[in-house]
């Protein structure tokens, strides 16, 4: 199929009212969810997923991608107005966004956040279109040994989402790997940790684990320690972003966008680290560096460019290699699987119409983000004032419905609540949930490819070093481990000096 034929095939899938409405609704839902403190883009995508099971595959995936993109931008609204990031990715936006709001320039800060978000989103989408196909064609050379080394490298990236404590992150990841072994062994057909329950022979339901781990702990936290909604919404002011201000921040926006593209294409990092790295680079190179943290518009632009630059790039490893780029694309992978699609290099051969349909939809989503964001700046600030006592009971109902709807099995609802309490204990002890989810997803892939490689080689480990691709990923893994150890040593020395 030629390039023109592929584009026309993709256009035939998305060039209809249903596809455009799904994109529009997704961006709108994501923006609202992102604007609610306590919600997140991850939770919004997880709660939307069950509603997509009866949809056509392309419609379902476009809806979830719209929620993803809207959620990342929406988090900047409460971050700027009430100093409460709607999503973790918007944490860096608080640093300069809220001081601008205190000066009566909230409208200017939100306007710059929108322009930076849309610019970065477009750059990220174009990067996906340009690089995903090339990476997929390269990945056709992958066999079980190559995939094993790739996934092993991806697991080392868990260090980047472990927060302040690498030990807690490793503990979370090991728990995820352990629970991923539950179910029927695909090689020998034996039951593992099923406790004699046939409901567990297929393993723990991914959606139940996901929603239990991310949504239920927030509900339990509100019940455990109820607090009135804090913060006061700031007036927007009459100032708007001028073209001169956008041009002044343009270098930081482009730099932050490519930082987001680079970090987003590495599995497991996500938007929050990208936002902080973009912010720190902008501060280091800006002539107004002394004003950062006190209400600098360039700081808002850099942080929002960093987190939105990730949105399209996280789909590069997802579509090309079948490896989720972050926690949200780990959820979206569930939508692919529910509809019988397997992300990876073969998808560029078997489902090229869906691939190009997604590309076209992503470009359109950038346009929708701009128009919906423009309305959100003035209209959705009131969403941030929804009392949590009203919000979270509704979230709980959606959680139960969403998990039950997957298999119509009440056992899955029980798994969700058990995982909710596990997630709550992790939350109370500052154990990050992201390493758990990444390990839970990648663990079976790691095991299956390792065992397939051993079967191919007659149990000889030499096959894991059979070519340049495996050596490349072994080298990346080694360099990552060295960097992690060095960072840990520096942190230990820093604590020692303070003491």
């Amino acid at each position: 199929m030629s390039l023109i034929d592929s584009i026309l095939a993709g256009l035939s899938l998305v060039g209809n009212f249903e596809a455009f409405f799904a994109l529009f609704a997704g961006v709108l839902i994501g923006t609202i969810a992102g604007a609610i403190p306590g919600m997140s883009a991850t939770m919004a995508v997880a709660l939307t997923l069950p509603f997509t099971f009866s949809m056509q595959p392309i419609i379902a995936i476009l809806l979830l991608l719209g929620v993803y993109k809207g959620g990342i931008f929406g988090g900047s609204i409460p971050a700027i107005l009430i100093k409460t990031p709607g999503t973790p990715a918007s944490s860096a936006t608080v640093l300069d966004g809220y001081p601008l709001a205190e000066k009566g320039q909230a409208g200017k800060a939100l306007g710059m956040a929108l322009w930076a978000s849309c610019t970065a989103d477009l750059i990220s989408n174009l990067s996906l279109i340009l690089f995903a196909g090339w990476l997929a064609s390269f990945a056709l050379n992958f066999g079980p040994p190559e995939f094993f080394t790739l996934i092993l490298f991806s697991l080392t990236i868990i260090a980047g989402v472990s927060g302040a404590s690498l030990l807690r992150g490793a503990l979370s990841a090991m728990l995820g790997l352990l629970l991923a072994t539950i179910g029927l062994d695909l090689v020998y057909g034996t039951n593992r940790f099923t406790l004699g329950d046939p409901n567990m022979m297929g393993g723990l339901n991914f959606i139940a684990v996901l929603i239990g781990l991310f949504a239920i702990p927030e509900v339990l936290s509100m019940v455990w320690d109820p607090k009135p909604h804090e913060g006061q919404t700031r007036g927007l002011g009459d100032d708007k972003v001028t073209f001169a201000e956008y041009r002044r921040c343009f270098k930081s926006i482009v730099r932050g966008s490519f930082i987001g593209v680079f970090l987003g294409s590495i599995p497991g990092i996500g938007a929050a680290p990208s936002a902080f790295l973009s912010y720190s680079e902008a501060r280091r190179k800006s002539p107004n560096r002394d004003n950062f943290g006190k209400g600098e518009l360039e700081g808002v632009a850099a942080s929002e460019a960093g987190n939105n630059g990730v949105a399209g790039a996280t789909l590069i490893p997802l579509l090309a290699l079948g490896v989720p780029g972050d926690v949200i694309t780990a959820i979206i992978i569930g939508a692919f699987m529910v509809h019988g699609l397997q992300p990876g290099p073969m998808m560029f051969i078997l489902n090229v119409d869906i691939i190009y349909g997604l590309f076209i939809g992503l470009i359109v989503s950038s346009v929708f983000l701009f128009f919906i964001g423009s309305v959100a700046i003035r209209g959705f600030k009131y969403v941030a004032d929804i009392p949590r006592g009203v919000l979270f009971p509704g979230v709980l109902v959606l959680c139960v419905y969403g998990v039950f709807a997957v298999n119509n099995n009440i056992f899955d609802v029980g798994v969700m609540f058990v995982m909710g309490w596990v997630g709550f204990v992790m939350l109370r002890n500052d154990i990050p949930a992201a390493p758990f989810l990444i390990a839970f997803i990648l663990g079976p892939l790691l095991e299956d490819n390792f065992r397939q490689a051993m079967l191919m080689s007659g149990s000889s480990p030499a096959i894991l070093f059979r070519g340049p691709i495996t050596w490349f990923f072994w080298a990346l893994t080694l360099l990552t481990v060295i960097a992690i150890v060095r960072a840990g040593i520096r942190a230990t020395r820093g604590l020692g000096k303070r003491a």
Side-chain angles (χ1 to χ4, degrees):
M1 186 180 287
S2 68
L3 178 61
I4 299 298
D5 291 336
S6 299
I7 293 173
L8 290 175
L11 192 59
S12 68
L13 286 180
V14 299
N16 55 70
F17 175 77
E18 284 186 352
F20 281 89
F21 181 76
L23 265 176
F24 182 86
V27 175
L28 181 61
I29 292 167
T31 305
I32 294 174
I36 301 174
M39 290 285 284
S40 66
T42 305
M43 192 188 300
V45 173
L47 293 175
T48 307
L49 178 59
F51 294 95
T52 66
F53 294 159
S54 60
M55 297 179 181
Q56 296 177 24
I58 188 69
I59 304 296
I61 296 166
L62 287 176
L63 175 64
L64 295 176
L65 290 176
V67 174
Y68 179 14
K69 290 174 175 294
I72 297 295
F73 165 72
S76 65
I77 297 175
I80 291 169
L81 294 176
I82 59 173
K83 203 179 181 181
T84 306
T87 64
S90 300
S91 301
T93 307
V94 171
L95 301 177
D96 283 291
Y98 188 70
L100 280 167
E102 289 186 310
K103 297 176 182 178
Q105 297 180 333
K108 188 182 287 289
L110 286 167
M112 181 56 75
L114 176 62
W115 280 100
S117 296
C118 292
T119 305
D121 187 53
L122 183 60
I123 291 174
S124 189
N125 291 338
L126 292 175
S127 300
L128 167 67
I129 293 168
L130 291 173
F131 298 126
W134 172 82
L135 188 58
S137 63
F138 172 68
L140 287 173
N141 299 315
F142 280 39
E146 287 78 15
F147 273 112
F148 169 77
T149 53
L150 165 65
I151 295 163
L152 185 67
F153 165 64
S154 299
L155 283 173
T156 64
I157 303 297
I158 283 173
V161 293
S162 294
S165 173
L166 180 59
L167 181 62
R168 289 191 177 100
L171 177 65
S172 176
M174 284 190 286
L175 182 59
L177 287 171
L178 178 64
L179 293 188
T181 62
I182 294 174
L184 196 66
D185 176 9
L186 296 179
V187 176
Y188 292 108
T190 55
N191 289 322
R192 299 188 297 191
F193 307 113
T194 59
L195 305 177
D197 191 335
N199 286 303
M200 298 178 69
M201 289 178 64
L204 298 181
N205 182 278
F206 170 70
I207 305 299
V209 171
L210 171 75
I211 293 180
L213 203 61
F214 285 94
I216 300 299
E218 298 296 335
V219 178
L220 292 174
S221 295
M222 193 273 292
V223 174
W224 191 274
D225 187 21
K227 293 180 181 179
H229 180 72
E230 297 178 356
Q232 181 180 0
T233 302
R234 300 283 173 174
L236 295 181
D238 297 325
D239 291 340
K240 294 183 179 180
V241 176
T242 64
F243 179 74
E245 289 170 328
Y246 176 75
R247 187 175 58 188
R248 177 172 66 85
C249 300
F250 187 70
K251 283 185 179 180
S252 291
I253 292 172
V254 173
R255 186 192 308 115
S257 300
F258 281 108
I259 288 173
V261 167
F262 177 72
L263 295 183
S265 62
I266 299 174
I269 293 186
S274 173
F276 279 104
L277 179 58
S278 175
Y279 181 85
S280 65
E281 281 299 298
R283 183 174 184 172
R284 186 170 67 87
K285 296 187 176 182
S286 173
N288 302 320
R289 64 177 65 89
D290 293 336
N291 200 34
F292 274 65
K294 302 173 185 176
E296 173 56 48
L297 208 56
E298 191 176 354
V300 174
S303 60
E304 285 299 302
N307 61 38
N308 282 272
V310 167
T314 52
L315 295 173
I316 295 176
L318 173 68
L319 294 177
L321 303 174
V323 176
D326 64 354
V327 179
I328 299 177
T329 48
I331 302 169
I332 294 175
I333 227 175
F336 279 88
M337 293 177 175
V338 164
H339 291 284
L341 299 172
Q342 181 59 53
M346 291 304 295
M347 194 171 178
F348 283 78
I349 297 174
L350 302 176
N351 305 106
V352 69
D353 55 340
I354 291 180
I355 293 291
Y356 278 87
L358 289 176
F359 289 167
I360 295 168
L362 287 169
I363 296 297
V364 174
S365 71
S366 298
V367 179
F368 283 157
L369 179 62
F370 178 79
F371 286 107
I372 291 174
S374 299
V375 176
I377 287 175
R378 293 201 170 273
F380 293 166
K381 68 172 186 173
Y382 301 107
V383 175
D385 293 323
I386 294 177
R388 293 193 172 194
V390 174
L391 170 66
F392 283 107
V395 169
L396 184 61
V397 171
L398 288 174
C399 289
V400 173
Y401 163 77
V403 170
F404 183 77
V406 178
N407 296 318
N408 292 326
N409 189 349
I410 198 66
F411 178 81
D412 292 342
V413 178
V415 171
M416 178 193 73
F417 281 114
V418 171
M419 290 309 304
W421 279 105
V422 171
F424 178 67
V425 171
M426 292 168 66
L427 186 67
R428 300 285 290 186
N429 290 279
D430 295 323
I431 299 174
F436 178 103
L437 184 66
I438 292 170
F440 185 78
I441 293 166
L442 296 182
L445 295 174
L446 183 77
E447 179 190 5
D448 290 347
N449 282 288
F450 175 76
R451 296 176 75 175
Q452 287 179 36
M454 291 298 101
L455 288 172
M456 289 168 57
S457 66
S459 300
S460 170
I463 195 173
L464 301 178
F465 303 88
R466 73 176 183 179
I469 297 175
T470 57
W471 280 104
F472 174 72
F473 285 115
W474 278 119
L476 283 180
T477 303
L478 181 62
L479 289 173
T480 304
V481 170
I482 291 172
I484 292 168
V485 172
R486 289 183 64 184
I489 292 172
R490 284 200 206 99
T492 304
R493 286 176 179 172
L495 290 173
K497 288 179 181 178
R498 288 175 190 172

